[in-house]
């Protein structure tokens, strides 16, 4: 990106990097630093006719090309190196980086050191409305308020001073936010309440609109795995236009949630390559010409093209690039931070997890295409995401992407996913008759229901003489597409099934269904990996994070079923860490996202797949997984 370096005393100071302005212009008691800045400005002004130079003067800063024209390439390079060094020095003096993560049920804040160590964090719940089946809605005001509470709590818990935060990164679910011209919320809800102005990522109201878009077979769809999902934003925009015309008319901005957060923080409407490429059909490889006008006109959103896309973003930047002039005064006051603190371009939550884990155990010089193509980032939560990057684009039917620079700059992202993983496991548990009494026991004992179920599985292995834990479900199988299939079948209308149920509902029955659900999710992951490897990847390692990966049964079954080694990050809060990395890049403490990945992440525990009988068992189980899907399609066809 262009840097604006040198001075001329004509108009008030404007600087591309707020951290630079804070450091040099707001002043310092260090005379050496003051003298350095005087020397720097005098050096830059030599031959340019500048006068009255000094650390307290006010200047307009010009672009490097102008400097080259006036004073030559050598002076530009020297000034560039000086400024970069001072920015990094300032950021490292502050030492700490803040990551803010908004998930489906909460907003979280984490404060990290330059080596990726978590020193303070906090979580605040956010509201979720479900006004109708397949509808899910948030409030952007509620989300921002939760972020503010979480940040203040994290600062307090860690006794961190606001000025110690050198940079801020935001990540969030890929949910759709609607604002009016005054940045007030606009309803997306059949209830008509403006408070409910966010369509949550998992909302499937736009299935008919997605189907209509897919029937166009527009070339843009090639970059979303050939099939657009109702979880993406253009189907949701089309739903709003057709079903809530008042909202469509009032809306001045449609934003992805990560972009809303950086906009709310800085007042600058810069969109992220991650969000726009992954969820809005922006073609990041087309270098500033990413919106395809013919696509929007073809699907019925031509008015957005006529408006030159002003409502969905005209400035798109890479993750971690500084947004505007940093934290705006109003947002700084609400968050309890310092105005001007650099804010990085945001990222989708799962992709932040990818940044937090993919570099674990790698050194900066080894991070590249060869290593990346053998690794898959598995981020397990309410849903699961499976992300791999490559030097060249790989088009895989039913796998989202390829997305250029959507996670690791310069690489193409391939993204698989499962719409319901943690949600499916919870559904299987809490819809069972034995769940209520077991939950009461868990609460009384200070443990989780998952821990009690894991204990029951261990007891069942001993009492049944099973050769290995997975064998307990030899005659119990679950087809996991209860909320449709995101990848690689790419069919949101699919539904789940369970085979092998007895006429009983004991705690042991619940434990077996719980295990079968975890195995079904893992077989879905294996299916995604197989599809990726058929098109050139060589995935043998899963770099895993997220809530699901805190469960030892989830990890064991994923290793055994996929045949991959699982590497856990040393820092469990890898999503928050990935977000904090963007703050480190924004303030120039790290020169690039890849450098931040190498410097701030580290490998923790490793889980290896079991060989022999366990491997053979899951090969047969995987055949059942595919057969269940085929049987479901046959039943559906019979009942047409």
């Amino acid at each position: 990106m262009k840097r604006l370096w040198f001075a001329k005393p004509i108009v008030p100071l404007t600087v591309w990097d707020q951290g630079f302005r804070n450091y040099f212009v707001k002043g310092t008691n260090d005379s050496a630093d003051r003298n350095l800045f005087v020397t720097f400005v005098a050096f830059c002004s030599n031959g340019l006719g500048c006068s009255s130079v000094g650390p307290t003067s006010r200047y307009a800063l010009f672009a490097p090309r102008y400097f080259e024209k006036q004073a030559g390439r050598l002076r530009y390079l020297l000034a560039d190196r000086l400024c970069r060094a001072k920015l990094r020095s300032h950021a490292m003096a502050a030492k700490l980086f803040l990551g803010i993560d908004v998930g489906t049920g909460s907003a979280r804040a984490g404060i990290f050191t330059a080596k990726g160590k978590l020193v303070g964090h906090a979580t605040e719940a956010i509201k979720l409305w479900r006004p109708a089946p397949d509808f899910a809605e948030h409030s952007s005001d509620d989300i921002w308020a939760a972020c503010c509470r979480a940040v203040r709590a994290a600062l307090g818990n860690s006794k961190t001073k606001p000025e110690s935060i050198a940079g801020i990164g935001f990540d969030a679910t890929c949910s759709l936010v609607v604002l009016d011209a005054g940045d007030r919320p606009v309803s997306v809800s059949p209830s008509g309440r403006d408070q409910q102005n966010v369509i949550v990522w998992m909302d499937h109201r736009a299935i008919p609109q997605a189907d209509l878009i897919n029937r166009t077979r527009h070339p843009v769809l090639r970059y979303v795995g050939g099939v657009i999902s109702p979880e993406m934003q253009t189907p949701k925009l089309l739903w709003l236009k057709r079903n809530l015309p008042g909202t469509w008319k009032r809306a001045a901005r449609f934003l992805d949630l990560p972009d809303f957060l950086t906009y709310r923080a800085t007042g600058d409407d810069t969109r992220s390559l991650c969000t726009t490429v992954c969820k809005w059909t922006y073609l990041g490889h087309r270098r500033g010409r990413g919106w395809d006008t013919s696509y929007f006109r073809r699907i019925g959103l031509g008015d957005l093209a006529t408006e030159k896309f002003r409502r969905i973003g005209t400035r798109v930047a890479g993750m971690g690039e500084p947004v505007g002039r940093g934290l705006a005064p109003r947002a700084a006051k609400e968050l309890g931070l310092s105005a001007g603190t650099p804010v990085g371009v945001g990222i989708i939550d799962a992709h932040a997890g990818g940044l937090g884990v993919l570099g674990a155990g790698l050194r900066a010089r080894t991070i590249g295409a060869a290593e990346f193509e053998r690794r898959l980032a598995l981020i397990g939560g309410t849903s699961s995401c499976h992300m791999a990057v490559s030097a060249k684009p790989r088009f895989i039917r039913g796998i989202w992407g390829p997305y250029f620079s959507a996670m690791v700059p310069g690489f193409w992202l391939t993204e698989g996913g499962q719409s319901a993983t943690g949600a499916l496991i919870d559904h299987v548990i809490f819809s069972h008759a034995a769940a209520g009494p077991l939950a009461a026991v868990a609460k009384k004992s200070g443990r989780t229901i998952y821990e009690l179920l894991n204990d029951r599985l261990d007891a069942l292995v001993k009492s049944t003489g099973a050769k290995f834990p997975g064998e307990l479900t030899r005659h119990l199988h679950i087809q996991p597409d209860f909320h449709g299939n995101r990848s690689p079948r790419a069919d949101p209308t699919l539904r789940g099934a369970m085979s092998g149920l007895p006429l009983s509902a004991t705690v042991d029955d619940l434990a077996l269904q719980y295990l079968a659900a975890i195995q079904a999710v893992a077989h879905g992951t294996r299916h995604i990996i197989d599809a990726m490897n058929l098109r050139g990847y060589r995935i043998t390692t899963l770099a895993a994070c997220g809530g699901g990966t805190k469960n030892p049964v989830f990890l064991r079954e994923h290793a055994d079923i996929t045949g991959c080694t699982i590497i856990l990050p040393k820092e469990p809060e890898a999503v928050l860490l990935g977000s904090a990395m963007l703050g480190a890049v924004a303030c120039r403490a790290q020169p690039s996202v890849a450098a931040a990945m190498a410097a701030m992440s580290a490998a923790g525990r490793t889980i290896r797949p079991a060989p022999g009988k366990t491997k053979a068992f899951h090969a047969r189980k995987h055949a059942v997984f595919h057969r269940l899907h085929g049987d479901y399609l046959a039943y559906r066809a019979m009942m047409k």
Side-chain angles (χ1 to χ4, degrees):
M1 80 176 267
K2 293 182 180 179
R3 289 172 170 77
L4 312 179
W5 289 135
F6 59 94
K8 202 168 185 177
I10 298 175
V11 296
L13 175 71
T14 56
V15 186
W16 73 274
D17 189 304
Q18 194 73 16
F20 179 81
R21 185 177 78 169
N22 287 345
Y23 189 68
F24 284 118
V25 179
K26 289 189 175 181
T28 171
N29 294 323
D30 190 326
S31 60
D33 283 343
R34 282 181 173 272
N35 292 336
L36 178 59
F37 184 51
V38 172
T39 303
F40 161 66
V41 178
F43 170 78
C44 291
S45 66
N46 184 22
L48 296 177
C50 295
S51 60
S52 304
V53 297
T56 59
S57 302
R58 298 174 65 82
Y59 300 95
L61 301 187
F62 292 72
R65 287 182 183 176
Y66 180 80
F67 185 90
E68 291 172 40
K69 189 181 294 185
Q70 297 294 326
R73 179 68 178 167
L74 179 59
R75 287 181 183 173
Y76 162 66
L77 291 174
L78 290 172
D80 178 77
R81 181 169 295 181
L82 172 64
C83 285
R84 287 177 186 240
K86 290 306 295 179
L87 283 169
R88 282 196 293 271
S89 175
H90 170 52
M92 296 311 291
K95 295 182 180 178
L96 299 176
F97 310 100
L98 173 65
I100 300 172
D101 161 60
V102 177
T104 307
S106 65
R108 303 186 302 148
I111 300 170
F112 294 85
T113 68
K115 293 186 176 181
K117 181 181 178 181
L118 181 66
V119 298
H121 73 285
T123 301
E124 292 286 336
I126 59 177
K127 296 176 183 175
L128 176 68
W129 289 269
R130 290 186 174 275
D134 285 336
F135 282 55
E137 297 164 359
H138 284 320
S139 160
S140 63
D141 285 347
D142 176 63
I143 287 171
W144 181 254
C147 289
C148 294
R149 294 194 303 271
V151 170
R152 287 179 174 274
L155 291 170
N157 294 343
S158 60
K159 298 181 180 177
T160 298
K161 295 179 180 179
E163 58 268 24
S164 296
I165 301 298
I168 305 168
F170 287 94
D171 75 77
T173 64
C174 44
S175 301
L176 176 63
V177 183
V178 185
L179 302 176
D180 68 10
D183 291 335
R184 294 176 295 266
V186 179
S187 178
V188 298
S189 178
S191 71
R193 289 193 288 268
D194 279 341
Q195 179 187 18
Q196 294 163 228
N197 71 316
V198 182
I199 301 180
V200 181
W201 66 270
M202 62 184 177
D203 185 301
H204 277 192
R205 71 181 72 183
I207 286 177
Q209 287 71 34
D211 185 55
L212 182 151
I213 292 170
N214 286 323
R215 288 201 301 270
T216 69
R217 298 186 178 180
H218 193 281
V220 161
L221 300 180
R222 190 165 179 246
Y223 291 90
V224 294
V227 182
I228 203 160
S229 166
E231 296 174 12
M232 294 180 178
Q233 308 301 18
T234 51
K236 291 175 180 176
L237 290 172
L238 189 56
W239 186 93
L240 287 173
K241 182 178 180 179
R242 292 188 169 185
N243 293 276
L244 296 177
T247 288
W248 188 257
K249 184 176 181 180
R250 289 174 57 201
R253 284 187 174 86
F254 299 104
L255 303 106
D256 218 274
L257 185 51
D259 296 329
F260 163 78
L261 293 171
T262 57
Y263 176 59
R264 183 67 176 78
T266 66
D268 185 287
D269 190 8
T270 296
R271 309 299 176 98
S272 167
L273 262 177
C274 179
T275 60
T276 53
V277 170
C278 293
K279 304 302 175 184
W280 297 72
T281 72
Y282 186 86
L283 302 176
H285 57 285
R286 295 205 328 195
R287 308 286 182 184
R289 299 177 295 107
W291 296 123
D292 190 303
T293 298
S294 67
Y295 169 75
F296 283 86
R297 295 195 188 285
R298 181 79 178 276
I299 69 172
L301 295 175
D303 40 352
L304 295 178
T306 300
E307 300 162 1
K308 300 187 183 302
F309 304 103
R310 61 174 176 79
R311 289 199 281 178
I312 61 173
T314 57
R315 294 192 304 277
V316 179
M319 293 73 66
E321 292 187 21
V323 180
R325 297 186 177 185
L327 202 59
R330 175 190 170 195
K333 184 178 180 180
E334 293 166 339
L335 291 163
L337 297 170
S338 300
T341 303
V343 175
V345 170
I347 192 169
I348 297 168
D349 56 348
H351 301 63
L355 296 183
V357 298
L358 270 182
L362 299 179
R363 297 180 180 178
R365 64 177 179 271
T366 64
I367 288 186
E371 280 297 329
F372 280 148
E373 292 197 358
R374 290 191 285 268
R375 287 191 168 207
L376 180 84
L378 170 62
I379 293 84
T382 303
S383 63
S384 286
C385 289
H386 310 73
M387 292 178 289
V389 295
S390 58
K392 295 182 179 180
R394 293 205 167 111
F395 297 90
I396 308 172
R397 179 77 178 177
I399 306 287
W400 292 351
Y403 300 136
F404 183 69
S405 284
M407 186 170 73
V408 181
F411 286 84
W412 292 83
L413 170 66
T414 305
E415 181 184 349
Q418 294 162 288
S419 294
T421 52
L424 170 65
I425 294 165
D426 283 350
H427 173 74
V428 169
I429 292 172
F430 294 106
S431 63
H432 195 278
L438 188 62
V441 172
K443 184 177 181 180
K444 187 175 181 180
S445 63
R447 304 179 72 197
T448 68
I449 195 169
Y450 312 102
E451 290 174 314
L452 297 187
L453 288 170
N454 292 348
D455 289 347
R456 289 306 308 154
L457 292 174
D458 290 341
L460 285 170
V461 170
K462 293 177 181 178
S463 64
T464 62
K467 298 180 180 65
F468 50 89
E471 191 181 30
L472 291 171
T473 61
R474 180 178 296 275
H475 301 298
L476 179 64
H477 313 286
I478 292 179
Q479 208 288 334
D481 296 331
F482 284 50
H483 196 53
N485 183 283
R486 187 186 297 170
S487 305
R489 295 184 173 120
D491 185 349
T493 69
L494 292 178
R495 292 297 177 261
M498 194 178 297
S499 173
L501 292 176
L503 191 63
S504 63
T506 66
V507 170
D508 286 350
D509 293 319
L510 172 56
L512 294 177
Q513 291 180 30
Y514 158 73
L515 175 59
I518 290 174
Q519 290 175 336
V521 168
H523 281 287
T525 294
R526 176 173 172 171
H527 191 197
I528 291 167
I529 293 170
D530 288 346
M532 289 183 174
N533 285 346
L534 282 173
R535 298 306 297 267
Y537 284 102
R538 296 166 292 149
I539 294 164
T540 58
T541 300
L542 305 183
C545 69
T549 60
K550 296 173 184 177
N551 184 334
V553 174
F554 185 95
L555 293 171
R556 181 192 68 216
E557 296 303 313
H558 271 76
D560 290 348
I561 289 167
T562 64
C564 293
T565 297
I566 296 178
I567 295 177
L568 299 178
K570 186 175 180 180
E571 173 47 62
E573 296 294 353
V575 175
L576 277 172
L577 174 59
S579 190
M581 288 177 183
L582 302 183
V585 175
C587 70
R588 300 297 184 250
Q590 292 293 340
S592 67
V593 170
M597 292 170 66
M600 298 178 71
S601 62
R605 190 161 63 96
T606 297
I607 300 99
R608 301 190 185 280
K613 292 182 178 179
T614 302
K615 181 178 180 180
F617 172 83
H618 283 301
R620 297 193 299 275
K621 190 91 170 174
H622 197 62
V624 173
F625 168 82
H626 285 291
R627 179 65 176 267
L628 282 170
H629 171 68
D631 288 346
Y632 173 77
L633 293 182
Y635 302 151
R636 188 162 69 174
M638 291 169 66
M639 297 305 295
K640 279 187 178 179

